[in-house]
């Protein structure tokens, strides 16, 4: 009888630990399901949210003419290709020989700390919505950019 009683106790103990194991598996499975569901919700918010809205927006640079110099000025394809061949830090006169007088001057800005830059705008003859903006620092040609009006 002791042997049967011992076997009965052992069976009872193993069935308890089996239930505990099954309960733990269910609990672990449920935890994983909840983590996946929570992660999916966070990922969905991440896809829907615009992170740029959280960052401070820099002040837009004004592309509005400050002073109109030559209202009939336009830049041809040939002039544009010549200008693009001029290396940066060339003297302003080298650029002026190619592009002549600008349509207008744009407000100055600081591209580098402590250096004020002047900008001149030239409408493109072959695209009425685009302008070439030439940047000067002192008497040096500092580069160019395109401005597209909408």
């Amino acid at each position: 009888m002791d042997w049967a009683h011992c076997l009965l106790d052992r069976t009872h103990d193993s069935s308890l630990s089996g239930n505990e194991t099954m309960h733990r598996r269910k609990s672990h499975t449920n935890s994983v399901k909840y983590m996946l569901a929570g992660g999916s919700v966070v990922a969905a918010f991440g896809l829907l949210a615009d992170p740029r809205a959280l960052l401070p927006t820099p002040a837009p640079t004004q592309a509005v003419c400050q002073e109109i110099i030559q209202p009939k000025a336009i830049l041809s394809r040939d002039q544009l290709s010549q200008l693009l061949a001029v290396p940066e830090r060339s003297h302003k006169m080298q650029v002026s020989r190619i592009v002549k007088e600008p349509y207008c001057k744009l407000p100055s800005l600081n591209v580098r700390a402590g250096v004020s830059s002047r900008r001149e705008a030239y409408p493109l003859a072959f695209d009425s919505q685009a302008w070439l903006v030439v940047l000067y620092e002192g008497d040096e040609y500092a580069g160019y950019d395109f401005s597209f009006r909408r």
Side-chain angles (χ1 to χ4, degrees):
M1 213 96 164
D2 280 337
W3 180 78
H5 182 63
C6 183
L7 184 59
L8 188 60
D9 283 345
R10 193 177 257 175
T11 306
H12 183 64
D13 286 345
S14 67
S15 69
L16 279 179
S17 64
N19 281 341
E20 280 181 25
T21 303
M22 203 161 96
H23 179 69
R24 285 185 183 163
R25 280 188 192 146
K26 284 183 180 179
S27 175
H28 178 71
T29 303
N30 285 340
S31 295
V32 170
K33 286 179 183 178
Y34 288 130
M35 284 192 325
L36 285 174
S40 297
V41 169
V42 169
F45 279 127
L47 290 173
L48 295 175
D50 184 10
R52 291 174 290 175
L54 302 174
L55 300 173
T57 56
T61 57
Q62 293 183 359
V64 178
C65 288
Q66 188 175 30
E67 175 186 355
I68 296 191
I69 305 297
Q70 179 53 263
K72 294 183 181 184
I74 57 170
L75 198 64
S76 69
R77 286 183 194 271
D78 185 49
Q79 288 172 307
L80 178 60
S81 63
Q82 288 177 38
L83 176 66
L84 297 180
V86 174
E88 288 184 9
R89 301 296 165 205
S90 295
H91 196 276
K92 181 181 176 180
M93 291 303 296
Q94 189 174 353
V95 174
S96 296
R97 278 187 233 124
I98 298 168
V99 296
K100 311 293 182 227
E101 287 187 302
Y103 172 79
C104 71
K105 290 185 180 182
L106 300 173
S108 297
L109 58 94
N110 292 330
V111 177
R112 296 184 298 141
V115 179
S116 180
S117 302
R118 293 183 327 278
R119 300 180 297 159
E120 296 178 350
Y122 300 85
L124 299 179
F126 51 90
D127 186 348
S128 62
Q129 298 299 309
W131 288 13
L132 177 77
V133 178
V134 178
L135 184 74
Y136 298 103
E137 291 177 347
D139 284 336
E140 287 185 340
Y141 166 64
Y144 67 91
D145 194 7
F146 290 96
S147 175
F148 301 96
R149 294 180 288 164
R150 296 178 191 184

